[in-house]
Amino acid sequence: LEKNTSDSTGTLTLKDDNKEAGSLKATGGENGAGIGGGNRGSGKNITIKGGTVNATGGLDGAGIGGGGGCWGSGEDITIKGGTVTAAGGRFGAGIGGGLLGSGKNITITDGTVNAAGGQFGAGIGGGDRGSGEDITIKGGTVTAAGGLQAAGIGGGLLGSGKNITITGGTVNTTGGDNGGAGIGGGFLGSGEAITITGGTVNATGTDGAGIGGGDEGNGKDITIKGGTVTADGGDYAAGIGGGDEGNGEDITITGGTVTAKGGSGGAGIGGGERGNGEDITITDGTVNAAGGVSGAGIGGGWKGSGSNVTVSGAAQVTAIAGKPGWGGAGATIGSGGNETGGQPVDGDELQADIDGLITGYIHHIIYEQDGTT
């Protein structure tokens, strides 16, 4: 793990069964990662097993992962324990890629991890204009904050977040200002193939979805099977689904406790403002979905439609229509509000497919003009 080498690999072990935990403070040189690649270099096959690690990227490098310059990816990074703090340089991810570099095959199984992206870099995932792919969190306590327009976990600016899996632990993640999803895409990036099966997850977007697309990005193939999940969309974005002007598609919830709140103009689950919510299936679990101003609880954002919503099994669903504001009120399940001739028009309600609903229910909540429910 030498500073400013073109490609750095290795195993960093600061604790074993016989010794006290060690500590390491690593700061990258110009364009170098704190731990990983140097200028234009990738950081690969890095394993942290314990101890206390503080890693700060150089000018454009990741805290842990790829170097700066250009195209420095961070790949095959594993954290198995200890206390790890990683901060990206100007355009680098906290853990993942440097400038123009992706973050791939990143696994956290235990420990306490705090990762902050630099400007345009994800907390965990891609650097500026880099994607975040194949990211797995199995345990521990993870806090991830994206830099400006980058996801907390997923893509940097213009980067997508794909194949992100959380099976346990406590995960708190926040997208960067002006476009980052909590988990998913950066500005103009999609959030795809995101799966949560357990743990406690709190995800907040800023103009991006809590879980899904960044600003103007779609949220696709999102699956929640268990755990406790809270997803808050930023302004114009869905809690779970699309960012501002993005669609939410193929969203499936089969268990757990899920609370999703859209930002102004966004659906709780579905599309961001002007975005549609399509193919949303809830088969079990407890789900609370609240639309932002003029957004549907489940379905479309402001001026967006909702379609193919299925609720079955023992699912307990509460859908809260967004209050009127930009146009009419959103539907509980269906379309977002709209306006015609300058007059507000409430969103059309959609009859969800409830043929398979056995012991569960759907609770619809709408607002009166005076703001009472």
Side-chain angles (χ1 to χ4, degrees):
L1 298 175
E2 298 178 1
K3 183 174 71 174
N4 288 338
T5 55
S6 61
D7 288 282
S8 292
T9 64
T11 299
L12 175 64
T13 303
L14 295 179
K15 184 177 182 180
D16 60 25
D17 293 336
N18 302 314
K19 297 179 181 180
E20 293 183 359
S23 63
L24 173 69
K25 183 175 181 180
T27 302
E30 184 175 358
N31 286 337
I35 298 173
N39 185 39
R40 298 178 182 266
S42 299
K44 300 179 180 179
N45 301 320
I46 298 169
T47 300
I48 298 173
K49 295 182 177 181
T52 300
V53 177
N54 289 275
T56 302
L59 183 63
D60 292 339
I64 300 173
C70 287
W71 302 292
S73 63
E75 303 180 22
D76 300 316
I77 299 169
T78 302
I79 298 173
K80 295 183 176 182
T83 299
V84 178
T85 301
R90 183 178 60 176
F91 296 140
I95 300 173
L99 174 64
L100 302 181
S102 59
K104 298 182 179 180
N105 298 322
I106 299 170
T107 302
I108 298 171
T109 62
D110 203 354
T112 299
V113 178
N114 296 285
Q119 186 176 6
F120 308 134
I124 300 173
D128 180 7
R129 286 165 280 179
S131 63
E133 303 179 20
D134 301 316
I135 299 169
T136 301
I137 299 173
K138 298 180 178 181
T141 300
V142 178
T143 302
L148 181 66
Q149 297 185 301
I153 299 174
L157 169 67
L158 305 183
S160 297
K162 300 180 180 179
N163 299 322
I164 299 170
T165 302
I166 298 172
T167 64
T170 299
V171 179
N172 298 297
T173 179
T174 305
D177 290 342
N178 298 326
I183 300 173
F187 177 69
L188 294 180
S190 63
E192 304 179 26
I194 299 169
T195 302
I196 299 171
T197 64
T200 300
V201 178
N202 299 292
T204 302
T206 54
D207 292 354
I211 300 173
D215 189 350
E216 298 187 39
N218 297 327
K220 301 180 180 179
D221 190 19
I222 299 170
T223 302
I224 299 173
K225 297 181 178 181
T228 300
V229 179
T230 301
D232 290 338
D235 285 342
Y236 324 117
I240 299 174
D244 180 13
E245 300 190 28
N247 298 325
E249 307 171 8
D250 297 316
I251 300 170
T252 302
I253 299 172
T254 63
T257 299
V258 179
T259 302
K261 182 179 179 181
S264 295
I269 300 174
E273 66 101 4
R274 301 179 188 269
N276 302 326
E278 306 173 356
D279 300 319
I280 299 169
T281 302
I282 304 171
T283 64
D284 206 341
T286 300
V287 178
N288 295 277
V293 172
S294 296
I298 300 174
W302 176 61
K303 292 190 176 183
S305 65
S307 60
N308 297 328
V309 176
T310 301
V311 179
S312 63
Q316 299 180 7
V317 177
T318 299
I320 305 173
K323 295 180 179 181
W326 297 3
T332 54
I333 299 176
S335 301
N338 208 326
E339 60 183 2
T340 299
Q343 298 300 311
V345 178
D346 292 344
D348 291 333
E349 291 284 341
L350 168 70
Q351 175 58 57
D353 180 354
I354 58 173
D355 288 345
L357 195 61
I358 301 172
T359 59
Y361 59 78
I362 302 176
H363 182 194
H364 299 261
I365 298 178
I366 62 174
Y367 289 93
E368 301 287 0
Q369 292 299 317
D370 64 2
T372 59
T373 58

